[in-house]
Amino acid sequence: AVGADEDGASDPLRPTTVNHREIRMAAIRKEMEGFILRTKLRQTAEDWATEVESLTSPVRKSAEKWARTTVHSSVVQAVYNAWEMERHHAAERHLFPDAISTIKRIREEHPDVVVGAVTDGSANPMLMVFSLMPLFDFSVSWEDDLDDGDGVMSSDGRFRELSSVDESDGLGWIYRLAVEKGREMSGLAGEIRKNGNGNGGGGEEDQDDDSEWCWVHVGDDLAYDVGGSATTGAKTVLADLAPEYGQTARLRAEGRRPRWATETEEQLASHKEMSVVAESKVDARVSHLGQLPEVIDELLKGEHEEDEEEDEDGSE
């Protein structure tokens, strides 16, 4: 679906659609149609030995229809797929040097861990086949995993931009989805272990996997990662990385705009306020990714001690 200007003309870049995928595909179509239209008008002007500016309105309208008819949806989809593939390959080329080794160590030290990604874009580690895919179990995306019953859609039915969220509760839906998927994956892993023990096995593998559940969320954005995940009970780790990483997330927390960002001044100010509120919800910080395994161990140890204290209180 597309939006319309005040004069009723359709504009593919003002969609009433619900996600960025369709917005990007509309932009690709508009660019392709524009190129074909300019080419057709130039060819027509050359055939008639005149200037493009001299072509009449009926000729231009016919050329516009030609351009719309020429661009097939399958071609637009192919261009989009090529862009998305290169986006993920570019991400693989720019991973932090210690990212893979850190995740591998966490998985080795915690064989039952479920590793998931929560992203505000369409970057999906499950599509990074040469690097991250073997290390992740699932991914959820603000752009792709929409839940129009939980605040993601704006009042006019359009996709709600992440930058328009002005409080942590507005982020809750994606973290609830992550918890749901994480628990599901953890339960399936438990079933596999039990079946591997022989039709249900016995002993420690028969314990309630849910009783051992602990969610640790690691992220570099104080407002979104810490503030958002804390609303659903996560143990939060802020990746406030050393200068050599070239991290830009802290700029937003300070109310400054990274070079690549598009937020308005109002949105930056709102992000800074959310960051201030989220500061008290940080459970741990790391300045290097290699510190994560030890930090996670400490958080899990603290979680287990809290559970034991609750059990003791309950037995009195």
Side-chain angles (χ1 to χ4, degrees):
V2 297
D5 297 327
E6 292 182 359
D7 61 1
S10 64
D11 181 359
L13 295 185
R14 290 185 56 202
T16 56
T17 183
V18 296
N19 62 47
H20 282 184
R21 180 187 298 272
E22 294 184 30
I23 293 173
R24 292 184 180 117
M25 291 182 67
I28 292 171
R29 171 175 288 279
K30 187 174 185 179
E31 186 67 23
M32 294 179 70
E33 289 180 359
F35 176 81
I36 292 173
L37 173 62
R38 291 189 297 272
T39 301
K40 189 63 176 176
L41 291 174
R42 186 173 62 253
Q43 291 173 344
T44 302
E46 291 175 355
D47 291 342
W48 292 1
T50 187
E51 299 295 329
V52 171
E53 293 76 11
S54 301
L55 296 175
T56 63
S57 178
V59 171
R60 288 180 173 273
K61 289 186 179 298
S62 294
E64 290 171 0
K65 185 176 181 179
W66 172 282
R68 288 195 298 271
T69 304
T70 301
V71 180
H72 194 274
S73 58
S74 63
V75 178
V76 175
Q77 183 68 58
V79 173
Y80 176 83
N81 291 345
W83 170 82
E84 187 172 59
M85 182 179 296
E86 175 54 29
R87 178 178 184 178
H88 286 94
H89 288 337
E92 289 184 296
R93 294 193 295 270
H94 293 87
L95 288 174
F96 291 140
D98 47 351
I100 291 179
S101 60
T102 297
I103 300 174
K104 283 183 176 179
R105 180 179 168 190
I106 292 170
R107 296 197 73 105
E108 289 170 358
E109 296 179 357
H110 303 278
D112 299 333
V113 69
V114 173
V115 180
V118 181
T119 173
D120 58 357
S122 60
N124 186 343
M126 307 302 291
L127 298 178
M128 300 181 190
V129 296
F130 302 111
S131 58
L132 297 181
M133 186 184 73
L135 303 175
F136 279 78
D137 299 301
F138 71 90
S139 175
V140 295
S141 163
W142 184 275
E143 290 187 9
D144 298 330
D145 293 291
L146 303 178
D147 181 354
D148 58 4
D150 207 5
V152 182
M153 299 291 289
S154 60
S155 59
D156 62 0
R158 295 186 182 183
F159 176 69
R160 188 181 184 189
E161 297 281 357
L162 176 61
S163 57
S164 69
V165 177
D166 55 9
E167 59 181 0
S168 295
D169 288 344
L171 305 169
W173 76 270
I174 194 168
Y175 292 105
R176 286 191 289 273
L177 178 60
V179 170
E180 179 182 335
K181 287 197 172 186
R183 285 185 179 275
E184 180 182 11
M185 298 295 288
S186 180
L188 291 173
E191 289 181 13
I192 293 173
R193 290 194 302 272
K194 291 175 182 179
N195 291 334
N197 260 355
N199 298 323
E204 293 183 354
E205 299 298 336
D206 275 337
Q207 66 184 337
D208 183 4
D209 289 328
D210 193 60
S211 66
E212 299 296 325
W213 173 266
C214 178
W215 176 27
V216 178
H217 183 79
V218 182
D220 62 358
D221 193 293
L222 188 55
Y224 296 155
D225 286 306
V226 174
S229 64
T231 64
T232 47
K235 295 292 184 181
T236 63
V237 179
L238 178 64
D240 190 8
L241 302 178
E244 59 260 33
Y245 284 90
Q247 186 185 39
T248 58
R250 66 167 59 89
L251 296 178
R252 282 178 164 145
E254 297 168 356
R256 294 188 289 157
R257 183 188 291 109
R259 288 182 299 174
W260 47 264
T262 59
E263 293 101 330
T264 64
E265 291 297 329
E266 182 180 357
Q267 289 169 340
L268 282 172
S270 176
H271 194 281
K272 183 178 180 180
E273 292 177 5
M274 291 173 64
S275 297
V276 171
V277 173
E279 184 68 46
S280 62
K281 301 175 182 178
V282 177
D283 292 313
R285 296 174 185 263
V286 294
S287 58
H288 292 79
L289 295 182
Q291 298 169 340
L292 274 175
E294 287 80 7
V295 167
I296 290 174
D297 286 343
E298 288 298 318
L299 290 175
L300 293 177
K301 180 180 178 181
E303 178 77 6
H304 292 158
E305 290 176 351
E306 290 177 7
D307 290 342
E308 290 176 358
E309 290 177 0
E310 291 178 0
D311 292 340
E312 291 177 358
D313 292 341
S315 62
E316 291 179 356

